[in-house]
Amino acid sequence: DYIYAETYTSKKAGNGVREDTIGKENSANTSIVREAISLADYRDKYSLYRSDKSLQKVHAKFPMVVLWDDHEVQDNWAGAAPGGGLDAVKKFTAARKAAATKAFFESNPSFAGSSRKRLYRSIPFGGTVELIAMDQRSYRQDQPCGDAVVPECADYNQPRALLGNAQLDWVKSRLSASKATWKILANEVTIMPTRVLGGSNYTYDTWIGYPQERESLLTHIRDRGIKDVVFVTGDIHTFIAGDVRTGDGSTGETVATEFVGGSITSQSLGEIDLDAGGGTVIKGNDAAPNTPTAIIDALRGINPQVDNADFDHHGFGEITASSDGLTCKMVRMETIKRKTTKQLPAESWTYKVGRGAPSIKGQHGPAAA
């Protein structure tokens, strides 16, 4: 989600910092203002984002390992599904995907040994870290249950590709063969479940919508005795830290750790009206997000794999890996509503993962049940 092909906000509506007039309107898709469709549109999107002086400074200072998720092409597209797995009114086409793909590779750093037909790859950082980057869009079949906030539907637990067989086998082989101390998986969507009220999942666009492939990967880690595996994740615009468990993700065996790094500027869950399942909506506040602690505690009770969550703030995760441990500090900004570098205290959002000890439950939240 480096760019958003869709425009959701505007200065006129009071929820945007600049006008984005790229692309076309779609009267059948009322959740957006307009969207990129042509190659020129997608190129213009990258030009618009790169006009931001702060982003220019980031690119000048730091190297980037680049992945896409859905918004580089179109919201919730699935590469192996007919019509992208989208309703016909969303106007997904092969030409649109090709235009988005071309603009993506034109606009982002290349990497050794790759091609424009394969984005997943492995990047070693000495003997300490092997970064295993996954592509969770190009090979996925359509997410189940209408990708709605509902309980698991009748065809939920069916064979369904997220990575696809070739990529899944490759990820497993890299995990098995890696001599690195830490195997860090660059992960587009959460592998921990996010459950809300009434037994609902908070959409099925994540690993939880692909339970058989998820279980195949996690039991491979468990059964092969692969230690020190960490998932680093984006997508959900929220800080989350917790244990990656087999089975339903809540009651299974912990085999890895997951750190979800929030968002830089995209609206957080505390800034939107959040569908909490069963007809319940948790009201958000874009101007001054302030999710009650009781809501975090209630959702943590439904999701016992989660140690802590922050729905309101923005920032990123900072990982320090060494031969004897890994530390993740969530760098949370006090606000993004005005220009400031002031950060929130990091004590309750600094996690230490010991060698051979993937569980972080109880470091800042409730102890493991």
Side-chain angles (χ1 to χ4, degrees):
D1 297 337
Y2 182 93
I3 64 165
Y4 271 68
E6 309 83 16
T7 304
Y8 292 88
T9 62
S10 68
K11 290 179 72 174
K12 182 179 179 181
N15 57 3
V17 297
R18 64 172 63 86
E19 295 297 353
D20 179 351
T21 60
I22 298 165
K24 296 182 179 179
E25 296 179 355
N26 180 352
S27 60
N29 190 3
T30 57
S31 66
I32 62 171
V33 180
R34 61 186 57 82
E35 57 191 342
I37 296 175
S38 68
L39 177 58
D41 291 340
Y42 285 102
R43 284 171 170 167
D44 286 346
K45 282 283 184 177
Y46 286 98
S47 295
L48 176 64
Y49 279 61
R50 295 268 172 75
S51 70
D52 186 284
K53 298 298 183 184
S54 295
L55 182 57
Q56 291 174 17
K57 291 177 181 178
V58 170
H59 276 291
K61 189 171 184 179
F62 299 106
M64 298 284 171
V65 176
V66 181
L67 284 174
W68 56 33
D69 192 21
D70 52 344
H71 290 285
E72 285 87 355
V73 178
Q74 189 173 358
D75 183 28
N76 282 356
W77 74 285
L86 302 174
D87 291 339
V89 297
K90 298 294 182 68
K91 299 182 179 179
F92 178 90
T93 65
R96 185 172 180 172
K97 177 187 171 184
T101 301
K102 182 174 176 60
F104 175 88
F105 282 104
E106 287 177 348
S107 304
N108 286 299
S110 60
F111 31 87
S114 69
S115 73
R116 294 186 180 183
K117 294 182 179 179
R118 176 176 147 175
L119 194 58
Y120 62 89
R121 71 271 193 203
S122 173
I123 305 164
F125 293 83
T128 305
V129 167
E130 180 170 348
L131 182 66
I132 300 170
M134 296 177 285
D135 180 352
Q136 295 167 358
R137 283 291 159 189
S138 298
Y139 314 102
R140 76 156 64 193
Q141 294 174 312
D142 196 13
Q143 42 265 26
C145 309
D147 195 26
V149 182
V150 294
E152 294 166 3
C153 50
D155 68 341
Y156 167 69
N157 193 19
Q158 298 295 317
R160 186 179 293 110
L162 177 65
L163 302 182
N165 289 336
Q167 184 181 185
L168 179 60
D169 288 346
W170 175 85
V171 171
K172 290 178 179 178
S173 70
R174 288 310 320 144
L175 287 168
S176 293
S178 180
K179 303 299 183 185
T181 303
W182 297 97
K183 280 67 69 178
I184 298 182
L185 290 104
N187 189 40
E188 294 167 20
V189 293
T190 53
I191 194 159
M192 287 186 291
T194 303
R195 296 196 169 94
V196 287
L197 302 177
S200 298
N201 283 301
Y202 185 67
T203 81
Y204 291 82
D205 189 47
T206 69
W207 274 96
I208 207 62
Y210 301 81
Q212 292 194 17
E213 199 168 282
R214 179 185 187 275
E215 185 72 351
S216 178
L217 176 59
L218 297 185
T219 54
H220 175 84
I221 294 170
R222 181 195 66 194
D223 296 346
R224 300 303 192 281
I226 302 169
K227 305 297 182 184
D228 306 326
V229 177
V230 177
F231 290 81
V232 293
T233 306
D235 179 65
I236 200 170
H237 307 175
T238 296
F239 291 102
I240 311 173
D243 294 356
V244 178
R245 298 175 175 176
T246 58
D248 65 2
S250 294
T251 60
E253 182 179 349
T254 297
V255 297
T257 313
E258 183 169 30
F259 295 113
V260 186
S263 70
I264 301 295
T265 56
S266 295
Q267 281 184 308
S268 65
L269 295 185
E271 292 169 333
I272 63 172
D273 291 344
L274 179 65
D275 185 348
T280 298
V281 174
I282 300 171
K283 297 295 291 183
N285 186 332
D286 182 71
N290 187 24
T291 304
T293 302
I295 289 178
I296 299 295
D297 288 342
L299 291 175
R300 209 160 34 181
I302 301 171
N303 296 277
Q305 71 281 359
V306 171
D307 187 71
N308 208 0
D310 180 345
F311 283 14
D312 299 329
H313 295 99
H314 297 267
F316 55 93
E318 178 183 287
I319 284 181
T320 303
S322 69
S323 60
D324 57 0
L326 180 145
T327 299
C328 179
K329 180 177 75 172
M330 297 299 191
V331 180
R332 298 173 304 142
M333 307 312 295
E334 181 183 72
T335 183
I336 63 164
K337 307 306 178 184
R338 53 184 170 81
K339 200 169 184 67
T340 177
T341 58
K342 188 172 182 181
Q343 299 176 14
L344 295 174
E347 288 81 3
S348 63
W349 273 99
T350 300
Y351 282 90
K352 297 184 182 300
V353 186
R355 296 289 309 279
S359 177
I360 57 171
K361 275 289 292 183
Q363 287 198 21
H364 299 300

